[in-house]
Amino acid sequence: MASEGEENALLAMEEGKKPRHKGKHDKPKPWDDDPNIDRWKIEKFDPSWNEGGMLEVTSFSTLFPQYREKYLQEAWPIVKASLKECGVACELNLVEGSMTVSTTRKTRDPYIIVKAKELIKLLSRSVPAPQAIKILNDEMSCDIIKISSITRNKERFVKRRERLLGPNLSTLKAIEIVTGCYILVQGNTVAAMGSWKGLKQVRRVVEDCIKNIKHPVYHIKELLIKRELAKNPALAHESWDRFLPKFKKKNVKQKKPITKEKKPYTPFPPPQQPSKIDLELETGEYFMSDKRKSAKKWQEKLEKQSEKAEENKRKREAAFIPPKEDTAAPYESAKFTNDNNEIVDMAKSLKKKAKEFRKNEAMENVRLESYVACNEESRPKKKHKSPK
């Protein structure tokens, strides 16, 4: 394939003009199309590239918290030895609580001082010394993510930080495996060490978790799917959106803000409260002697103590009072109440029927008596023969 410079030269030659380049040195190079050159490869530094060393002394210093003082004292010989190999001097100042790194005459790599600066930063953020020393390698990079300023509410911040860690640090370990980075959550920061690609993924996961945009588990699922898709060379130049899961954010019910009732506005100020002397004058305590005042206070204190003791005793005894036991089962008690209701209804109906029966019987008796009386009146009387 012809480069852009060659194409411009060919076009100029066709038009009969002198070939024109964008810049002074923008000309086709012999290594532009060389397939054997890997432009992304980071070559190891060779001291022969900079035999003269550094012209000026460059130094960086950082403070560390007090709780790291003891550990840094123990681990400082290891740090010092590893930096000495790179030609960098270091100093631990326990009075000021600071660590300082600076270049020396033996320093050859110009970028090693930046790596040393990152090393002391990681040490101050509670990263163990053997792990922090790995930052001196060219392949390793670090990123310290500040998470405290993302959310103002402290309770919400702690909750989301716990979400990032997961139960028994399971979520954090999963993120470390997927991204290939070392991650340490400490206080208000997250320290990560790894490749640039991995650090970019870690920052995205951490920020989305603290901002409550996406749960870390969903990010882990996406990264696992992407890892599997990367193995297929046929999908190298295609979009992976159709393979990635789409998570819908559910509407969570938020707590209603507590609104205080506004009192009606009055232009007049509130009445002045009585002072301590006024209250003493009302009760008559103002005219008492100091001895009587102290005796009164002592008596009030004793009364409060006795009341409190009685209340505590009542609470303790309440735990030993047995609850009323319901011998019948719930369904039996319900059945018993239903049976009682039925019996009551039956008794009422029987009483009603008995009342109606007595009433009917009384009516029949009245009718019978009236019938008999009528018949007797209508019957002709027999004539009695008189004896002759």
Side-chain angles (χ1 to χ4, degrees):
M1 285 177 71
S3 64
E4 192 179 349
E6 287 177 359
E7 286 176 5
N8 291 338
L10 288 167
L11 287 167
M13 283 170 74
E14 283 173 8
E15 293 174 2
K17 294 177 183 177
K18 198 176 181 181
R20 189 178 175 185
H21 301 289
K22 285 182 184 176
K24 188 179 178 182
H25 306 287
D26 189 11
K27 296 175 184 178
K29 311 291 189 302
W31 55 81
D32 283 346
D33 303 320
D34 191 355
N36 299 323
I37 296 170
D38 185 9
R39 290 171 182 79
W40 291 101
K41 188 182 177 183
I42 301 168
E43 293 183 12
K44 195 175 182 182
F45 181 78
D46 189 3
S48 62
W49 296 348
N50 185 18
E51 290 179 356
M54 310 296 287
L55 297 173
E56 294 289 336
V57 175
T58 308
S59 64
F60 293 104
S61 63
T62 185
L63 299 171
F64 60 85
Q66 195 176 359
Y67 64 86
R68 292 286 291 167
E69 187 178 321
K70 191 179 178 183
Y71 177 79
L72 288 172
Q73 267 184 303
E74 293 170 0
W76 198 248
I78 307 163
V79 178
K80 196 172 184 179
S82 58
L83 286 171
K84 193 177 181 182
E85 289 175 9
C86 304
V88 178
C90 59
E91 185 189 349
L92 177 68
N93 192 336
L94 297 174
V95 177
E96 293 179 3
S98 65
M99 292 178 283
T100 309
V101 288
S102 58
T103 56
T104 60
R105 288 181 181 180
K106 293 180 182 180
T107 309
R108 294 291 177 267
D109 187 359
Y111 195 69
I112 198 68
I113 189 64
V114 179
K115 289 280 188 182
K117 177 191 173 184
E118 289 175 351
L119 169 63
I120 58 173
K121 244 188 212 180
L122 290 168
L123 287 170
S124 66
R125 293 315 307 147
S126 300
V127 176
Q131 179 65 36
I133 288 163
K134 291 178 185 178
I135 198 68
L136 297 173
N137 300 330
D138 290 336
E139 298 82 16
M140 191 70 73
S141 305
C142 79
D143 188 13
I144 295 170
I145 308 156
K146 194 175 180 183
I147 54 174
S148 60
S149 59
I150 294 170
T151 52
R152 290 184 180 182
N153 193 335
K154 193 177 178 181
E155 290 177 7
R156 200 174 293 166
F157 167 72
V158 171
K159 194 178 179 182
R160 289 175 188 175
R161 190 177 60 183
E162 287 294 325
R163 189 186 299 165
L164 183 66
L165 297 169
N168 298 324
L169 305 176
S170 58
T171 310
L172 194 70
K173 285 172 187 173
I175 296 165
E176 283 183 347
I177 292 162
V178 172
T179 57
C181 295
Y182 169 81
I183 305 165
L184 178 74
V185 181
Q186 174 70 21
N188 298 330
T189 58
V190 177
M193 290 175 65
S195 62
W196 285 111
K197 188 181 177 183
L199 292 174
K200 194 177 178 182
Q201 291 170 347
V202 170
R203 180 171 272 276
R204 191 181 164 202
V205 172
V206 170
E207 285 182 353
D208 283 3
C209 178
I210 303 298
K211 287 177 183 176
N212 201 25
I213 293 169
K214 196 186 282 187
H215 199 279
V217 172
Y218 298 149
H219 275 295
I220 292 162
K221 284 181 181 178
E222 279 185 10
L223 291 168
L224 286 169
I225 292 162
K226 282 178 182 177
R227 184 192 279 184
E228 292 299 319
L229 291 168
K231 292 175 185 177
N232 191 352
L235 299 168
H237 302 288
E238 290 184 23
S239 178
W240 294 349
D241 291 339
R242 56 198 172 100
F243 300 108
L244 298 174
K246 293 175 183 177
F247 304 103
K248 290 181 180 178
K249 193 173 180 182
K250 294 178 182 178
N251 291 326
V252 184
K253 287 184 179 178
Q254 293 181 350
K255 289 182 180 179
K256 291 181 180 178
I258 300 162
T259 53
K260 292 182 180 179
E261 293 181 2
K262 288 185 177 180
K263 294 178 181 179
Y265 173 74
T266 52
F268 305 105
Q272 190 177 356
Q273 297 297 320
S275 65
K276 194 176 179 182
I277 296 166
D278 294 337
L279 293 169
E280 285 181 356
L281 285 167
E282 285 178 10
T283 53
E285 194 178 343
Y286 184 77
F287 303 103
M288 287 182 184
S289 61
D290 293 339
K291 195 175 181 181
R292 285 187 69 186
K293 279 181 184 178
S294 60
K296 191 183 178 183
K297 280 182 184 177
W298 178 250
Q299 189 65 30
E300 286 174 0
K301 192 178 179 181
L302 288 173
E303 284 174 6
K304 281 182 182 178
Q305 282 180 354
S306 61
E307 284 175 10
K308 193 73 177 174
E310 284 176 11
E311 191 179 343
N312 292 337
K313 191 180 178 183
R314 208 180 303 114
K315 283 180 182 177
R316 284 196 299 273
E317 289 174 354
F320 298 100
I321 297 168
K324 290 181 180 179
E325 294 181 2
D326 190 7
T327 52
Y331 64 92
E332 287 180 1
S333 60
K335 191 178 177 184
F336 180 71
T337 52
N338 290 337
D339 292 345
N340 283 347
N341 293 336
E342 285 176 8
I343 291 161
V344 169
D345 293 340
M346 200 183 290
K348 283 181 181 179
S349 62
L350 286 170
K351 281 180 183 179
K352 194 175 181 183
K353 284 179 182 178
K355 198 173 181 182
E356 287 177 359
F357 180 73
R358 286 195 213 97
K359 195 175 180 182
N360 292 337
E361 197 176 8
M363 289 290 288
E364 284 176 5
N365 288 337
V366 170
R367 284 175 190 170
L368 188 63
E369 285 172 5
S370 60
Y371 177 74
V372 170
C374 290
N375 285 345
E376 283 179 357
E377 286 176 4
S378 60
R379 191 187 296 171
K381 292 181 182 180
K382 288 183 181 180
K383 293 180 181 181
H384 295 282
K385 288 181 182 182
S386 59
K388 293 181 180 178

